[in-house]
Amino acid sequence: GNSVTQMEGPVTLSEEAFLTINCTYTATGYPSLFWYVQYPGEGLQLLLKATKADDKGSNKGFEATYRKETTSFHLEKGSVQVSDSAVYFCALISSGGSYIPTFGRGTSLIVHP
Amino acid sequence: GAGVSQSPSNKVTEKGKDVELRCDPISGHTALYWYRQSLGQGLEFLIYFQGNSAPDKSGLPSDRFSAERTGGSVSTLTIQRTQQEDSAVYLCASSLVSGTDTGELFFGEGSRLTVL
């Protein structure tokens, strides 16, 4: 079956630090990959996505590259802000399957001023 | 509003009682999903509705859980004879484009259920 593994949090950083949140996956076929973000008190919202190998998704300074050879989709940002404090979820939808997203456990990011 | 709306936002109930959670998806979205978010456990898929097709109930944890979607819009998740392990945040999401592997889900803020 499909699965998504994320690094455990919380990740605690100072403002302007470099961020990496690791995500690896197991899936049949060629899945589409997503990062969702949940800010405090809000629902999850799509941050970025990539639909095929070597694609790079980007939004709000965040980037993630679809690496088929390592089955990874790590989230990166060069300089985090306090407002980036949130929970980040990696997810996949398997091609040719039921189109039901599989989510990771989420990684909490705390950014201090 | 334009987003996915869930009610109640918080529900405290006693063990053994039944509860109903409501989801109002974005108008025109044909796909509707229910997930459960427990502390440290990520999002657990419960049930998926797509248009007029039979729902995918493969994620429901027991026969105490059921859901319906009336008129292709509002959905209700019902938990009968609640247990303490049912305590969690129940998330609803809807999607415009389904039957593809690229659809974005739009989530509500969730209903937090506490079973005493």
Side-chain angles (χ1 to χ4, degrees):
Chain A
N2 299 332
S3 67
V4 176
T5 303
Q6 292 181 234
M7 60 188 294
E8 294 211 12
V11 173
T12 304
L13 295 172
S14 297
E15 205 164 25
E16 299 183 2
F18 184 86
L19 168 71
T20 300
I21 300 178
N22 291 337
C23 171
T24 57
Y25 66 89
T26 302
T28 55
Y30 302 94
S32 291
L33 302 173
F34 305 80
W35 277 100
Y36 281 81
V37 57
Q38 185 177 30
Y39 297 105
E42 299 184 13
L44 277 78
Q45 57 187 273
L46 180 67
L47 179 60
L48 54 84
K49 70 179 183 182
T51 59
K52 61 183 187 293
D54 300 325
D55 268 3
K56 178 184 287 187
S58 61
N59 186 24
K60 300 182 180 179
F62 290 89
E63 292 182 339
T65 301
Y66 189 141
R67 300 288 188 199
K68 183 171 178 289
E69 63 276 14
T70 54
T71 60
S72 66
F73 193 54
H74 305 321
L75 183 68
E76 297 182 334
K77 187 174 186 182
S79 176
V80 293
Q81 305 300 312
V82 172
S83 57
D84 293 326
S85 298
V87 181
Y88 293 81
F89 292 88
C90 186
L92 69 83
I93 298 179
S94 190
S95 61
S98 61
Y99 309 111
I100 297 170
T102 299
F103 286 85
R105 292 191 172 192
T107 302
S108 175
L109 170 65
I110 302 169
V111 181
H112 293 294
Chain B
V4 176
S5 178
Q6 291 188 245
S7 62
S9 54
N10 277 288
K11 176 72 176 179
V12 180
T13 190
E14 294 180 348
K15 178 181 173 181
K17 301 283 190 183
D18 297 352
V19 296
E20 286 189 351
L21 307 176
R22 175 189 168 104
C23 173
D24 211 331
I26 293 173
S27 178
H29 281 194
T30 59
L32 187 147
Y33 308 75
W34 283 98
Y35 285 84
R36 178 167 69 175
Q37 184 178 20
S38 303
L39 192 62
Q41 297 300 312
L43 273 66
E44 175 189 6
F45 165 72
L46 298 177
I47 189 168
Y48 163 59
F49 296 89
Q50 165 52 21
N52 296 320
S53 302
D56 182 335
K57 305 179 182 179
S58 60
L60 294 178
S62 77
D63 58 9
R64 296 186 296 105
F65 288 72
S66 62
E68 63 177 20
R69 187 178 185 192
T70 54
S73 181
V74 172
S75 177
T76 303
L77 177 69
T78 301
I79 309 173
Q80 296 179 309
R81 305 181 301 282
T82 52
Q83 304 295 312
Q84 289 183 331
E85 60 263 28
D86 299 335
S87 296
V89 177
Y90 290 82
L91 298 175
C92 177
S94 68
S95 177
L96 175 61
V97 179
S98 187
T100 76
D101 53 5
T102 59
E104 174 182 356
L105 270 63
F106 294 81
F107 283 83
E109 294 183 13
S111 292
R112 180 176 298 277
L113 173 66
T114 302
V115 182
L116 301 177

